[in-house]
Amino acid sequence: MKRYSFLTAALLLVFIHSSLCAAQSPEERKRELLERIESLRPTEVPPRLYRRLFGLEWGGWITETYTDTHNDVNASPNYAFREDVRLWVKGGVRIPETLPKILGKEHYVYFRAKNATQHEHRGNSDNDGPHVDMLYGASDFGRLKSHIGRRFYALGRGITYADIHDGADLEVDLNPILAKAFYSKTLPHEHNIDTDAPGFDKHYNRHFFGTEAQYLKIPKHIPYFYYMRTWDRSDETPISHTEDFDYDSYYLGTGSRGELFIPNLRYCNEWIWERGKSRLSRSIDSARIKAWAVDLGLE
């Protein structure tokens, strides 16, 4: 069977997911986002170039969600219909081995657009988009890989940090250590996670710097360590000049993941320490941040 690489047309994939469920907490919505990103990560792999110099692919998906909740007091319905539409395209170039190695092995660009709508039973409607969901360039130089643009950035298991933001990263294979570092910032239309801050609606401006090292020479186990620093540059338009809602913190994390005893018995663990400072509400004084978290899993 002949394989075509110059123009590979990916079928339009439509995933329709209907559910009746109660209102989700922010943590549940975050987990749902991460699961969806992981399930769709294959669309971001480099295009199939085979022996050609150039490859192009495209596709998309639609997610439909129906939520219905009832109030036991007056039996009034409260349903909402949500639709998430995303379209993607990617194109790549393979560098011939006859050219200098400084030009790398291959490079590609990935673009994804999104549009989200919500309709409620009272007639309220909200349309978020169309937005650029992802747009980044990727380069593979062998032991060195890099990305720049709007994409999914994460550290460890994604508890400390995992989101689609604007930024850049580098990944270096130092055998037996895989090291990476990134710098990113929140999106222009993103809501502040602190909904008590004045002007939280689409005025979130936080910057992140992180680095992570993984040790790859232990069979069936990958221990890792990471550090991340954040800077809050949000414009909250405070009620008075004495109020400040900045939350500046740094994180240290360590953990490991792999298999135990029998095939497919997977485990994970992560330990996180957070320090920093934050302004006290309605005060010019600062408070020290002291927090920690532990995450253990067996699958």
Side-chain angles (χ1 to χ4, degrees), residues 137-254:
S139 297
D140 184 351
F141 294 92
R143 288 183 174 270
L144 174 66
K145 296 180 174 65
S146 66
H147 303 83
I148 183 168
R150 181 170 299 178
R151 67 184 297 265
F152 180 67
Y153 297 92
L155 282 173
R157 287 183 43 76
I159 301 172
T160 297
Y161 175 72
D163 219 328
I164 297 176
H165 283 154
D166 294 331
D169 71 355
L170 287 174
E171 184 178 291
V172 186
D173 184 0
L174 300 176
N175 191 21
I177 295 176
L178 181 66
K180 72 175 183 178
F182 73 90
Y183 177 84
S184 64
K185 67 181 296 294
T186 49
L187 303 181
H189 50 80
E190 194 168 346
H191 296 310
N192 196 329
I193 57 174
D194 182 7
T195 57
D196 292 330
F200 80 93
D201 185 13
K202 298 184 180 180
H203 285 82
Y204 193 33
N205 185 10
R206 181 175 288 274
H207 297 244
F208 308 86
F209 170 76
T211 181
E212 180 177 348
Q214 303 176 10
Y215 188 74
L216 306 179
K217 284 298 184 181
I218 303 178
K220 297 184 179 182
H221 302 279
I222 302 179
Y224 60 87
F225 171 83
Y226 65 79
Y227 166 83
M228 187 181 78
R229 178 70 189 271
T230 72
W231 298 269
D232 192 350
R233 298 294 182 264
S234 304
D235 182 13
E236 298 94 354
T237 60
I239 301 173
S240 70
H241 293 293
T242 60
E243 291 185 88
D244 193 340
F245 293 83
D246 287 353
Y247 188 92
D248 298 317
S249 57
Y250 66 90
Y251 304 80
L252 294 174
T254 186

Side-chain angles (χ1 to χ4, degrees), residues 26-295:
E27 292 79 10
E28 290 171 331
R29 288 196 297 269
K30 184 72 171 182
R31 280 197 299 271
E32 184 182 89
L33 170 66
L34 295 179
E35 290 172 359
R36 183 175 300 175
I37 288 174
E38 285 299 324
S39 66
L40 297 167
R41 191 181 294 276
T43 68
E44 296 184 60
V45 298
R48 293 187 292 270
L49 302 177
Y50 305 124
R51 296 182 180 180
R52 302 294 185 94
L53 298 180
F54 179 72
L56 183 67
E57 297 176 349
W58 65 82
W61 67 89
I62 301 174
T63 302
E64 313 279 4
T65 305
Y66 177 78
T67 304
D68 192 358
T69 60
H70 289 268
N71 189 326
D72 292 336
V73 176
N74 51 26
S76 62
N78 183 19
Y79 62 83
F81 175 76
R82 301 178 182 87
E83 182 179 74
D84 186 301
V85 180
R86 309 204 183 195
L87 303 174
W88 58 267
V89 61
K90 60 188 176 187
V93 176
R94 180 177 60 84
I95 306 299
E97 295 181 357
T98 55
L99 294 180
K101 292 185 177 181
I102 193 172
L103 297 177
K105 298 175 63 178
E106 64 180 17
H107 311 276
Y108 71 95
V109 175
Y110 180 84
F111 170 75
R112 193 163 79 195
K114 70 174 181 177
N115 191 83
T117 58
Q118 176 171 317
H119 305 282
E120 299 178 357
H121 76 287
R122 293 189 178 91
N124 298 330
S125 298
D126 182 36
N127 187 81
D128 185 17
H131 292 306
V132 177
D133 187 25
M134 286 189 180
L135 175 58
Y136 65 87
S139 297
D140 184 351
F141 294 92
R143 288 183 174 270
L144 174 66
K145 296 180 174 65
S146 66
H147 303 83
I148 183 168
R150 181 170 299 178
R151 67 184 297 265
F152 180 67
Y153 297 92
L155 282 173
R157 287 183 43 76
I159 301 172
T160 297
Y161 175 72
D163 219 328
I164 297 176
H165 283 154
D166 294 331
D169 71 355
L170 287 174
E171 184 178 291
V172 186
D173 184 0
L174 300 176
N175 191 21
I177 295 176
L178 181 66
K180 72 175 183 178
F182 73 90
Y183 177 84
S184 64
K185 67 181 296 294
T186 49
L187 303 181
H189 50 80
E190 194 168 346
H191 296 310
N192 196 329
I193 57 174
D194 182 7
T195 57
D196 292 330
F200 80 93
D201 185 13
K202 298 184 180 180
H203 285 82
Y204 193 33
N205 185 10
R206 181 175 288 274
H207 297 244
F208 308 86
F209 170 76
T211 181
E212 180 177 348
Q214 303 176 10
Y215 188 74
L216 306 179
K217 284 298 184 181
I218 303 178
K220 297 184 179 182
H221 302 279
I222 302 179
Y224 60 87
F225 171 83
Y226 65 79
Y227 166 83
M228 187 181 78
R229 178 70 189 271
T230 72
W231 298 269
D232 192 350
R233 298 294 182 264
S234 304
D235 182 13
E236 298 94 354
T237 60
I239 301 173
S240 70
H241 293 293
T242 60
E243 291 185 88
D244 193 340
F245 293 83
D246 287 353
Y247 188 92
D248 298 317
S249 57
Y250 66 90
Y251 304 80
L252 294 174
T254 186
S256 64
R257 61 182 183 273
E259 284 189 352
L260 290 175
F261 311 124
I262 60 177
N264 295 323
L265 180 60
R266 294 180 292 272
Y267 80 95
C268 61
N269 69 88
E270 187 165 303
W271 309 73
I272 308 166
W273 295 266
E274 179 191 9
R275 294 294 185 268
K277 66 178 182 178
S278 175
R279 292 282 183 166
L280 294 172
S281 179
R282 300 183 183 277
S283 172
I284 60 175
D285 296 329
S286 298
R288 288 181 175 271
I289 299 170
K290 292 183 178 181
W292 59 273
V294 177
D295 179 64

